[in-house]
């Protein structure tokens, strides 16, 4: 199957709060600094980043009033989560080869990009957002393009916290099937996922971090 590991978790801003206020609230709660992200022109969204240890990060994402956010599944996913009040939108697993997923989902991955103020550009391909919209317990999948290693959002400054676990309302078997993990020995690296039977909508219930303020669950 190749390498598969948790890359980041995405938190959508609420309809009233907006990006700056959401980011300030999370920074205060976790006791860590954020990094300015930027606009995803293909998706009609923008983000802010909290770099975490283990080459992971927390992304806070907001939909923009932009035509691409109506068309792109990622923009649609952020809008839907924001309109529900904001909160955990999804988790993202990075893989070294998207081809098996493109084959299984019978569609191509889509390119994503974000420009840095200094003109450098972070580029990647992703797939699975439509799956996440239909069933918010499943992660989406991403492959960072070659040569972007130092632009990975986790590298934006020295991480002050790490992600220790994700609690998901859903089914371990469903998620493993989605990821193509047929062998019980295969796991997603660096990730402790706890599954609970959903009483309502499936999806991320909470994420726990080790921070300068101790163990914090959002």
């Amino acid at each position: 199957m190749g390498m598969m590991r948790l890359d980041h978790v995405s938190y959508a801003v609420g309809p009233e709060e907006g990006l700056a206020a959401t980011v300030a609230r999370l920074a205060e709660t976790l006791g860590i600094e954020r990094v300015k992200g930027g606009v995803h022109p293909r998706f009609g969204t923008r983000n802010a980043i909290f770099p975490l240890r283990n080459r992971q990060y927390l992304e806070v994402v907001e939909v923009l009033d932009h035509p691409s956010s109506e068309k792109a599944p990622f923009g649609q996913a952020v809008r839907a989560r924001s309109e529900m009040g904001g909160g955990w939108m999804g988790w993202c697993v990075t893989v070294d080869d998207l081809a098996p997923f493109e084959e299984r989902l019978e569609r191509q991955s889509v390119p994503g990009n974000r420009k840095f103020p200094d003109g450098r550009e972070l580029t990647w391909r992703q797939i699975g957002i439509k799956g996440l919209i239909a069933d918010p317990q499943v992660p989406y999948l991403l492959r960072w393009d070659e040569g972007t290693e130092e632009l990975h959002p986790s590298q934006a400054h020295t991480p002050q916290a790490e992600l220790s676990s994700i609690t998901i309302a859903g089914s371990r078997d469903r998620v493993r099937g989605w990821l193509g993990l047929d062998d019980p020995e295969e796991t997603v690296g660096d990730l402790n996922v706890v599954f609970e039977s959903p009483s309502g909508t499936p999806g991320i219930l909470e994420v726990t971090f080790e921070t300068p303020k101790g163990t914090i669950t959002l």
Side-chain angles (χ1 to χ4, degrees):
M1 194 71 207
M3 176 210 62
M4 182 182 293
R5 52 189 302 276
L6 177 75
D7 190 73
H8 64 274
V9 286
S10 297
Y11 188 98
V13 308
E16 306 303 321
E17 200 173 32
L19 188 64
T22 305
V23 166
R25 173 170 61 83
L26 295 178
E28 173 63 28
T29 303
L30 296 170
I32 62 177
E33 291 167 45
R34 59 90 177 191
V35 177
K36 195 173 172 172
V39 171
H40 308 124
R42 294 171 187 273
F43 303 150
T45 55
R46 65 175 176 160
N47 70 356
I49 300 291
F50 291 93
L52 302 171
R53 295 185 196 106
N54 303 318
R55 213 173 167 81
Q56 294 168 345
Y57 63 99
L58 160 59
E59 164 187 65
V60 183
V61 65
E62 175 177 61
V63 72
L64 301 172
D65 189 14
H66 189 279
S68 54
S69 73
E70 305 284 345
K71 293 201 277 289
F74 190 81
Q76 294 166 4
V78 176
R79 186 185 305 282
R81 183 68 224 175
S82 291
E83 286 173 355
M84 285 166 61
W88 291 116
M89 182 182 99
W91 51 304
C92 178
V93 169
T94 182
V95 294
D96 45 19
D97 183 13
L98 288 172
F101 300 98
E102 292 178 323
E103 205 170 290
R104 215 168 56 242
L105 298 173
E106 299 182 333
R107 58 179 176 269
Q108 291 299 301
S109 57
V110 299
N113 66 303
R114 174 161 71 79
K115 268 203 166 41
F116 284 68
D118 62 12
R120 292 180 303 168
E121 192 169 32
L122 178 61
T123 57
W124 66 90
R125 295 191 72 86
Q126 66 186 50
I127 194 170
I129 294 290
K130 288 179 178 169
L132 169 88
I133 292 172
D135 187 2
Q137 66 181 296
V138 299
Y140 70 101
L141 300 129
L142 180 150
R143 183 179 61 78
W144 299 101
D145 289 346
E146 299 291 325
T148 60
E149 290 75 19
E150 72 205 45
L151 296 180
H152 188 271
S154 65
Q155 306 301 298
H157 70 55
T158 305
Q160 301 162 309
E162 70 183 69
L163 195 158
S164 55
S165 71
I166 299 179
T167 302
I168 292 174
S171 150
R172 181 182 298 274
D173 289 345
R174 162 81 178 120
V175 169
R176 290 184 63 83
W178 169 256
L179 288 170
L181 297 171
D182 309 320
D183 178 347
E185 297 300 304
E186 285 183 298
T187 58
V188 174
D190 293 331
L191 179 58
N192 176 18
V193 186
V194 180
F195 286 91
E196 290 188 8
S197 298
S199 51
T201 314
I204 296 178
L205 292 173
E206 56 186 34
V207 180
T208 299
F209 300 87
E210 299 303 325
T211 80
K213 290 185 164 184
T215 302
I216 305 278
T217 298
L218 291 174

